[in-house]
Amino acid sequence: MIRRLMAWLRPPVESTPPAPAAVSPRDIGLVDATLDGWFNNATGELLKGFAIGANDTLLDVGCGEGVATLFGMRQGASVIFTDSEYDKVRDLARQVGRHARSTATPFLGLVSNSLPLPLADGCADKIVCMEVLEHVDQPAPFMAELVRMGRPGAQYLLSVPAPVGERLQQGIAPPAYFQAPNHVQVFDAEQFAALVEDAGLVIEHRQASGFFWVMGMIFFWASERAAGRILEGAVRDRIQAPYPPLMQSWASAWQALLSQPDGLAIKQVLDGFMPKSQVIIARKPDPCAEAPS
């Protein structure tokens, strides 16, 4: 009886709620990108205004992990992908090959620094070169190669880091981030547009976004410095799971912001204030289409 009374008087033991699952910066970055018009499977648009179809041949220069290539394959396009790093091309070729075996979609992977590209003139309808030009010592000849690859009327999707985010990181990132094989060029909006137009392309659309990733990179650098790690090689290969706690906390905060009623409007203001990337969609002139009937 006494034992039952003591048990009744003893305060209940509260179970500790499970810790919330860590939020992946890459997953939140993907959500953020789709809000900007990227990766619309329903319309086949890699970015709004840049649709890829089954009749297209997509050339992805500096393919990296192959986000654009894999999107194009899902739309039924033939794909050509290139990178200067063998491992990147090999790993992407394995993924593309598995898809191609079930769909009989043609593909070609090449290891190349793109000066020159070992491809025939006019081999592609859609050319993608994202976050590559900032790594290139000679961007004008590189752009000329991209233009050579496009058929008349071909469409181009090009992106480079925005200058405001780069200049902010110059005060935080180690000097190696602005040396080869990392960023050796910083383009302001006018320089980027001039590079595209001087190569002979006509600009159709421009946008800038990615505040989430500017802040994410700041937290990455802070974590690297706190851990005493020395930067070597390509930075993009270092930003992988498991992510530093600071980056995961930032991803959780950004996820919470986007879930607010005014979250998208706030995101758009911040993107305009401090974007990570600037994007140009351009087209190669087609003399036949422009000729009077």
Side-chain angles (χ1 to χ4, degrees):
M1 179 68 172
I2 294 175
R3 284 198 298 270
R4 286 200 299 271
L5 179 62
M6 292 298 293
W8 181 79
L9 291 172
R10 189 180 300 124
V13 177
E14 295 183 3
S15 60
T16 303
V23 176
S24 166
R26 285 210 172 192
D27 290 345
I28 300 305
L30 178 59
V31 171
D32 189 76
T34 59
L35 293 173
D36 295 325
W38 290 91
F39 311 121
N40 191 329
N41 287 303
T43 64
E45 291 171 301
L46 179 57
L47 177 63
K48 185 174 177 59
F50 191 88
I52 303 170
N55 294 325
D56 287 327
T57 296
L58 169 69
L59 171 61
D60 185 4
V61 178
C63 60
E65 295 178 356
V67 173
T69 293
L70 296 171
F71 182 90
M73 285 213 77
R74 290 196 295 272
Q75 310 313 313
S78 303
V79 295
I80 305 170
F81 49 95
T82 78
D83 200 281
S84 61
E85 298 180 38
Y86 169 78
D87 290 353
K88 297 285 192 305
V89 175
R90 178 201 62 199
D91 294 347
L92 181 55
R94 289 172 178 168
Q95 295 184 69
V96 171
R98 287 194 292 269
H99 180 89
R101 280 193 291 273
S102 61
T103 61
T105 304
F107 73 93
L108 174 65
L110 295 170
V111 179
S112 172
N113 68 359
S114 304
L115 285 170
L117 273 166
L119 295 166
D121 296 0
C123 62
D125 310 281
K126 305 286 180 177
I127 295 89
V128 173
C129 186
M130 298 192 295
E131 309 298 297
V132 173
L133 287 161
E134 68 273 16
H135 298 268
V136 177
D137 286 325
Q138 303 177 66
F142 191 98
M143 274 298 306
E145 271 297 279
L146 296 184
V147 173
R148 183 179 70 83
M149 297 295 98
R151 295 171 185 149
Q155 201 175 27
Y156 289 73
L157 177 56
L158 311 165
S159 75
V160 297
V164 62
E166 292 290 89
R167 288 167 187 149
L168 177 62
Q169 290 184 78
Q170 283 177 338
I172 300 171
Y177 185 56
F178 294 97
Q179 300 168 3
N182 297 304
H183 296 189
V184 297
Q185 306 282 349
V186 177
F187 299 95
D188 64 31
E190 291 74 21
Q191 290 171 327
F192 185 31
L195 179 67
V196 173
E197 292 176 330
D198 290 349
L201 301 179
V202 177
I203 294 175
E204 296 182 331
H205 172 75
R206 298 178 68 172
Q207 72 181 59
S209 58
F211 175 85
F212 168 75
W213 277 115
V214 175
M215 296 303 300
M217 288 301 299
I218 289 171
F219 292 129
F220 172 77
W221 296 128
S223 301
E224 291 288 284
R225 185 177 297 178
R229 286 189 283 266
I230 299 173
L231 176 66
E232 294 179 355
V235 169
R236 65 182 181 182
D237 295 334
R238 301 265 302 267
I239 308 174
Q240 304 284 347
Y243 300 99
L246 268 177
M247 287 188 76
Q248 291 188 169
S249 296
W250 166 239
S252 296
W254 193 248
Q255 181 184 46
L257 172 67
L258 293 179
S259 69
Q260 300 303 306
D262 294 329
L264 179 58
I266 295 170
K267 164 193 152 51
Q268 291 169 342
V269 170
L270 293 172
D271 281 345
F273 169 69
M274 193 163 64
K276 174 67 173 69
S277 293
Q278 48 185 333
V279 180
I280 286 178
I281 296 176
R283 191 174 296 275
K284 184 173 182 177
D286 184 349
C288 295
E290 297 170 1
S293 56

